[in-house]
Amino acid sequence: MKIDGKWKKIVVIACFVCCMFLRELSFGTYACALESGGGTALAIDSRNVYEGMATSYAKGYVPQISGGKAIVVLPLLSKKELKNKQMTASLQLTESQTQPFVCKNYEKSVSLGYYKTAKKGKKTACYLVAFRLPLKERRYNGSYPLTISVSAEDVAGNEINQSFTLYVTITDGKKTGTDENDSKGEETESLLAPKVMIASYRFSKKKIICGRRFRAKLILCNTSKKERVKNMLVSVAPAENVELMSKTNSAFVESLGCGETCEISFDFRIHSTAPSAQYNIDVTMDYFDSKGKTYTLQSAVKVSALQKAQIEIAPLCVPKQILLGETVELQPQAMNLGKGKLYNVRAAVEAEGLSASGYAFIGDMEPGTSMTGSMEIVAEGLTGNSLYGKTQGKVTFYYEDDMGNEMTQEQTFDTSLLSPVSREDSDKLEDDTRQWWIIMGIIAAFFIQALLIFFMKRSKKENMGEEVGNET
């Protein structure tokens, strides 16, 4: 059957449309294969070629290797409007001997932008994720997977999390398994590499008290016998509750010869509200050897800090006089004015002529609390010629801080030991004295009354005598 020119054109156009449809279908299948996590909000722009790409994803894009770096480009399109038109892309690598990438934490924010493509210089809107990954000097040929995790939030507040896997092909490295001496050479080089260690460290104060400034002096030593260390940067990173008081967290050492040592110092302070504990200060040392190869070593300095114990003792109430054989109850009271907890707070009484039943146990005291203990003392009498008389005693408070260090605080008191008989005699004397004053008061009253009567009678007689004289 013959087909005229008009129908030929229609058939050709139909075939072209079918081919394009099948091509787009294959593109979509490839993009979906790269996605993981079941998300559908984001998709790879598989048509266009962006800067840093040799071909599109539809034609089998492979990251390029240039200047010792792998250039990874991932153009993403979003079906939903993203909040602030922004997403976060992260690429995390794990350290391994075969992996060619220098391990770091890679994360960046990517905003919606318009970028030039290979299609006649037109600009296309997309979220262009790009990483330049440094490669190890000693790397092996092969294809290595990379997973880029993307997180975002749409304008409705829904979270979007998707992952995309790409493959980086290394062709300028060594062939795996062809040179067994390589691994031995690396082990030998690692053993001969100059290692800087913290030989010792000391602090400006014997006891580190929370809230007080102190200085840490580090003695660094180059343990290598063949390699000199150059351009060493020493950095410190205090842990939680430790504050760096120096102007900078790093110190520079220009050169450190074989077996040589150097001293660097940093000022710190443990927060005043921090509990008594041991805290770490991480130390990182970055340096070069004589061939310009870089090294990084990490260590730590441990600081034991104490909360200053502050206890206040209330005056102990002891009777001024105690009879021989009498038992008296005492109640020692303590207040914790510090910011740390006090443990096993107790009080003991010592005095000549007095015998205590034991400790007055108060217990553990939280900051800002006041507690009271109880104990009994018995008056047994003084030693020497007399059992009675004045005596001086002391009450001692014992307590421990958070680190188990025991401390004490003392207080003195005075009292007198009396005989029970002398107390009775003094009571009787006091009663007799009171009766004598009563009798004297009565006598004085009668005397005053007699005087009044005498003067009244005398005055009456004088008045009568004057009247008789007037009549005569």
Side-chain angles (χ1 to χ4, degrees):
M1 184 179 64
K2 293 183 178 181
I3 302 175
D4 57 14
K6 179 178 180 181
W7 285 102
K8 282 184 178 180
K9 292 181 179 180
I10 294 175
V11 171
V12 172
I13 293 173
C15 292
F16 179 77
V17 171
C18 290
C19 290
M20 293 299 296
F21 175 76
L22 292 175
R23 181 183 176 186
E24 291 297 327
L25 181 62
S26 65
F27 293 167
T29 304
Y30 181 81
C32 291
L34 289 175
E35 297 178 10
S36 65
T40 58
L42 303 176
I44 298 175
D45 183 359
S46 58
R47 300 181 182 179
N48 297 309
V49 178
Y50 295 86
E51 184 181 357
M53 299 173 60
T55 59
S56 65
Y57 273 81
K59 293 183 179 181
Y61 162 76
V62 176
Q64 296 180 352
I65 306 299
S66 177
K69 294 183 179 180
I71 303 172
V72 180
V73 181
L74 179 65
L76 296 177
L77 304 176
S78 178
K79 298 178 182 179
K80 299 180 180 180
E81 184 179 354
L82 303 185
K83 183 179 179 181
N84 299 327
K85 296 182 179 181
Q86 196 173 52
M87 65 173 61
T88 300
S90 61
L91 174 65
Q92 294 190 359
L93 306 174
T94 56
E95 180 65 47
S96 67
Q97 293 182 353
T98 59
Q99 184 170 264
F101 312 107
V102 176
C103 291
K104 294 181 181 179
N105 290 329
Y106 299 91
E107 183 175 296
K108 61 170 59 179
S109 295
V110 181
S111 301
L112 180 64
Y114 291 85
Y115 303 92
K116 289 184 178 181
T117 63
K119 287 187 177 182
K120 297 180 181 180
K122 292 183 179 180
K123 290 187 176 181
T124 303
C126 75
Y127 293 90
L128 191 60
V129 180
F131 289 101
R132 299 176 67 88
L133 307 178
L135 299 175
K136 296 179 180 177
E137 293 182 3
R138 293 180 177 272
R139 53 183 179 270
Y140 296 91
N141 295 336
S143 183
Y144 301 91
L146 284 176
T147 300
I148 299 178
S149 300
V150 179
S151 61
E153 184 178 343
D154 61 19
V155 292
N158 301 314
E159 292 187 358
I160 300 173
N161 294 286
Q162 287 183 241
S163 297
F164 302 86
T165 302
L166 296 85
Y167 290 86
V168 177
T169 301
I170 303 296
T171 59
D172 60 350
K174 296 183 178 182
K175 294 181 179 180
T176 57
T178 58
D179 190 359
E180 295 181 357
N181 293 327
D182 286 347
S183 59
K184 294 181 180 179
E186 290 180 1
E187 292 178 359
T188 304
E189 184 177 353
S190 177
L191 293 174
L192 296 177
K195 290 182 174 59
V196 180
M197 63 176 291
I198 300 177
S200 64
Y201 58 87
R202 61 183 184 273
F203 304 112
S204 57
K205 298 180 180 178
K206 292 184 178 180
K207 287 186 178 181
I208 308 300
I209 305 299
C210 295
R212 296 183 181 178
R213 184 168 179 164
F214 66 95
R215 174 165 293 183
K217 297 182 179 179
L218 312 181
I219 307 299
L220 307 180
C221 177
N222 179 9
T223 61
S224 176
K225 297 181 179 179
K226 295 183 178 180
E227 285 286 346
R228 173 178 289 272
V229 170
K230 297 180 179 180
N231 298 333
M232 181 169 62
L233 184 66
V234 184
S235 304
V236 293
E240 185 179 1
N241 289 325
V242 183
E243 182 181 2
L244 177 67
M245 302 301 293
S246 300
K247 294 182 179 180
T248 177
N249 70 329
S250 59
F252 180 75
V253 179
E254 184 176 358
S255 179
L256 192 62
C258 303
E260 290 184 356
T261 60
C262 65
E263 180 180 303
I264 59 175
S265 301
F266 297 94
D267 291 342
F268 301 95
R269 182 177 63 185
I270 310 297
H271 291 170
S272 59
T273 57
S276 299
Q278 188 178 74
Y279 297 94
N280 282 354
I281 300 175
D282 294 330
V283 182
T284 303
M285 293 164 283
D286 297 296
Y287 54 90
F288 295 84
D289 61 10
S290 58
K291 299 178 182 179
K293 190 172 182 179
T294 60
Y295 299 90
T296 299
L297 289 178
Q298 292 184 335
S299 187
V301 173
K302 298 184 180 297
V303 183
S304 296
L306 300 173
Q307 270 290 351
K308 184 180 179 180
Q310 299 183 38
I311 189 172
E312 184 172 328
I313 300 173
L316 185 64
C317 185
V318 180
K320 293 298 182 182
Q321 295 178 340
I322 303 176
L323 297 179
L324 193 66
E326 184 180 3
T327 300
V328 178
E329 181 182 6
L330 302 180
Q331 294 184 332
Q333 182 181 15
M335 292 169 281
N336 184 2
L337 302 181
K339 296 179 181 179
K341 188 175 181 179
L342 300 179
Y343 298 86
N344 299 324
V345 183
R346 57 203 183 276
V349 172
E350 298 179 17
E352 185 184 359
L354 299 177
S355 176
S357 58
Y359 286 99
F361 189 76
I362 297 176
D364 299 341
M365 298 182 63
E366 297 290 341
T369 59
S370 175
M371 298 178 66
T372 303
S374 178
M375 66 185 308
E376 291 183 346
I377 59 173
V378 180
E380 295 182 345
L382 302 174
T383 58
N385 298 330
S386 177
L387 297 175
Y388 319 112
K390 292 183 178 181
T391 183
Q392 186 180 65
K394 68 176 180 179
V395 54
T396 305
F397 283 78
Y398 300 88
Y399 54 96
E400 300 168 8
D401 59 15
D402 290 330
M403 302 299 291
N405 300 315
E406 186 177 80
M407 288 163 278
T408 61
Q409 190 168 335
E410 295 181 355
Q411 185 184 99
T412 60
F413 62 88
D414 295 313
T415 187
S416 297
L417 301 183
L418 301 179
S419 170
V421 178
S422 62
R423 173 66 65 86
E424 293 177 0
D425 292 341
S426 63
D427 292 341
K428 290 181 180 179
L429 179 60
E430 184 177 355
D431 292 340
D432 294 342
T433 304
R434 290 177 181 176
Q435 292 177 2
W436 182 80
W437 280 107
I438 293 172
I439 294 172
M440 291 298 296
I442 294 173
I443 294 173
F446 277 113
F447 180 73
I448 293 172
Q449 187 177 5
L451 288 176
L452 291 174
I453 294 173
F454 172 76
F455 282 114
M456 289 176 64
K457 288 182 177 181
R458 183 177 179 180
S459 177
K460 187 175 181 180
K461 288 181 179 181
E462 289 178 354
N463 291 334
M464 290 179 64
E466 290 177 357
E467 290 179 356
V468 173
N470 293 330
E471 288 179 359
T472 57

